Amino acid sequence: MWEFWRRHKRKVYVTVGVLGSGYFLYKLYNAHRRKLSDLERELADQRRSEELIKSQVKSHFENIQRIADSTTLPHVMRCLSSQIEEELDLAHLTERLMKGKDLPNSLTAAEKLELWERLKILSFTRMVLSLWVTTLLSLYIRVQVNILGRHLYIDTARGIGSSGQLDEADLIDRNDQQRFLASADYLTTFGLPTLISSFEAATSEVLKGKQLKDFFNTTVLHDTIIQILNTFMSTASPHQWLGFFMPEDSKQNSVDVSFSTGSTDLSNASKFEQLMQETQAVLSSAEFCNIVEISLKAAVDVLMEDIRVLCGEANLTSGMPLAKLLPRIAHMDQILLEEPNRNRYIQVIQDIPEVEIFFTLLYASSPSS
């Protein structure tokens, strides 16, 4: 045995070394393969979890969008339409003028002129106010929905990251969601009377030199509408028009910043307060002001198309007396404040490329806290 060991011990050592190395490499490879398999399973589980998050958040956001489009905006538009018609009622003016026509001695010349002047101011006020409200309200509610949707996505992702369970994600309380969306009612509940007064003052300023016998063609009417809008927007201090849409206390702790680059400390605010303050910051931004300007110009173009149809293309192109134009203008608010699903003004505004980009960036942005 000793002789055998002496002659073959090198081979034995080599054989044992090779077998041991092979076994070690096998165990190492097997462990590495198990780790790769575990990692692949973890990645697959993570992908499934991310897809679940995305699908649930997308579904939730789409539900909120549908609520805004089918409930919030139609409700506010209906309230606005009835309130504007009530506050800027033209029936009593037209009735008195008709009575004066049937009974010539019932009105003096001065009284007739005063009634016509009042009818002129109120007709233009109703039309331009309705145009501005439709444009701004549709943009305002879209700002709300995009901010809320972004918060839902971020909160869900954070909840998944910390708890690993979608049901445990700290989503915004539904009461806060409803309260936030319902804040769009502030305009009809509190802001409209002052807004009407401001527009009436702007309209009076622009129309004070316009006579009922003056001929209005497409260009003159277009310029008059733009002048009323510019006068209204310029007479107030920057962003003062926000007071028509939001209560003052929602703006006390917010700052005037660019939504894409600014930073607002909202760490101590409630979810509802955060949503309101972010909304105010967006509405105060230079980007949103630019979107408002672009949207109003597009809405005015659509308005001119509708008025041309009502008046007849040839009539408005060649020009017609202001007194004859007023009845068409007086009823434009009914078209401007139509239900959102039939309102082509809202659709035109939503389809503007700059508006689509703005809301894409708004949804993707994440303000610092």
Side-chain angles (χ1 to χ4, degrees):
M1 290 292 294
W2 282 107
E3 182 64 23
F4 177 82
W5 174 252
R6 187 179 63 78
R7 288 202 305 265
H8 298 288
K9 66 179 180 179
R10 182 184 297 276
K11 295 179 181 178
V12 172
Y13 285 142
V14 170
T15 302
V16 171
V18 170
L19 292 174
S21 298
Y23 179 75
F24 174 76
L25 290 173
Y26 168 76
K27 295 292 288 183
L28 186 64
Y29 168 76
N30 195 45
H32 179 66
R33 188 177 62 180
R34 283 200 302 271
K35 287 181 180 179
L36 286 176
S37 179
D38 291 342
L39 180 60
E40 288 176 354
R41 279 197 299 272
E42 289 178 7
L43 290 174
D45 291 341
Q46 185 178 349
R47 281 194 296 269
R48 283 194 294 270
S49 178
E50 289 176 351
E51 289 300 321
L52 179 61
I53 293 172
K54 289 179 181 178
S55 64
Q56 298 241 357
V57 172
K58 181 181 178 183
S59 175
H60 199 155
F61 176 66
E62 288 176 348
N63 287 337
I64 292 173
Q65 183 75 57
R66 280 194 291 271
I67 290 171
D69 290 343
S70 63
T71 306
T72 307
L73 187 55
H75 165 72
V76 177
M77 294 286 280
R78 282 193 295 269
C79 292
L80 277 173
S81 181
S82 61
Q83 283 189 257
I84 289 174
E85 187 172 351
E86 181 180 344
E87 295 287 337
L88 296 172
D89 183 28
L90 305 178
H92 68 287
L93 296 176
T94 54
E95 286 174 4
R96 289 189 64 189
L97 285 170
M98 290 300 295
K99 184 179 178 180
K101 185 177 180 181
D102 295 335
L103 303 171
N105 296 326
S106 63
L107 290 175
T108 65
E111 288 174 332
K112 287 182 181 179
L113 181 60
E114 183 181 352
L115 287 173
W116 273 107
E117 285 295 315
R118 188 67 182 151
L119 184 63
K120 176 184 73 174
I121 299 300
L122 292 188
S123 296
F124 271 90
T125 300
R126 274 175 59 144
M127 179 180 69
V128 183
L129 169 67
S130 299
L131 176 75
W132 189 89
V133 163
T134 298
T135 302
L136 269 292
L137 191 62
S138 64
L139 294 174
Y140 175 79
I141 290 178
R142 285 194 70 188
V143 167
Q144 281 189 310
V145 170
N146 278 274
I147 288 176
L148 182 57
R150 171 163 43 78
H151 271 272
L152 288 171
Y153 182 85
I154 293 173
D155 288 353
T156 302
R158 286 174 178 169
I160 289 292
S162 61
S163 67
Q165 296 294 325
L166 184 62
D167 293 338
E168 297 178 18
D170 184 23
L171 290 175
I172 299 172
D173 184 82
R174 289 191 180 274
N175 288 333
D176 282 340
Q177 294 181 32
Q178 294 172 1
R179 198 174 155 207
F180 178 57
L181 292 175
S183 65
D185 280 331
Y186 184 84
L187 173 64
T188 56
T189 307
F190 301 103
L192 190 59
T194 307
L195 179 63
I196 289 174
S197 298
S198 299
F199 258 104
E200 190 173 335
T203 304
S204 299
E205 176 67 23
V206 173
L207 295 182
K208 63 183 180 182
K210 309 290 185 183
Q211 303 297 322
L212 294 171
K213 61 183 179 181
D214 290 348
F215 269 68
F216 270 59
N217 57 25
T218 305
T219 302
V220 174
L221 180 58
H222 179 275
D223 291 347
T224 301
I225 294 170
I226 293 295
Q227 286 174 30
I228 294 172
L229 289 170
N230 290 341
T231 301
F232 166 75
M233 296 295 282
S234 63
T235 51
S237 61
H239 314 307
Q240 185 175 329
W241 56 268
L242 285 177
F244 302 125
F245 285 91
M246 303 181 73
E248 190 64 29
D249 57 3
S250 72
K251 301 183 286 181
Q252 287 177 352
N253 298 319
S254 57
V255 293
D256 185 3
V257 295
S258 163
F259 78 86
S260 59
T261 59
S263 174
T264 307
D265 184 7
L266 301 174
S267 56
N268 296 322
S270 69
K271 276 293 186 181
F272 172 73
E273 290 170 339
Q274 289 182 39
L275 293 169
M276 292 297 288
Q277 290 174 26
E278 280 190 40
T279 300
Q280 195 274 337
V282 171
L283 299 183
S284 300
S285 68
E287 296 94 332
F288 185 76
C289 290
N290 183 52
I291 290 301
V292 168
E293 184 178 346
I294 293 172
S295 300
L296 283 173
K297 286 180 179 177
V300 171
D301 290 341
V302 178
L303 177 65
M304 292 304 303
E305 292 176 7
D306 286 342
I307 294 176
R308 279 195 291 268
V309 171
L310 287 176
C311 297
E313 184 73 32
N315 291 334
L316 194 58
T317 301
S318 59
M320 57 194 305
L322 178 56
K324 193 174 180 180
L325 181 62
L326 286 181
R328 280 82 167 180
I329 290 175
H331 292 93
M332 283 307 302
D333 63 300
Q334 298 175 8
I335 299 174
L336 287 159
L337 296 171
E338 271 190 320
E339 290 283 333
N341 61 344
R342 300 195 305 269
N343 194 314
R344 77 185 189 108
Y345 291 85
I346 293 176
Q347 191 58 55
V348 165
I349 291 168
Q350 290 179 350
D351 291 341
I352 297 172
E354 292 88 347
V355 173
E356 292 180 343
I357 293 172
F358 173 84
F359 284 108
T360 299
L361 293 175
L362 175 60
Y363 185 74
S365 66
S366 179
S368 303
S369 297

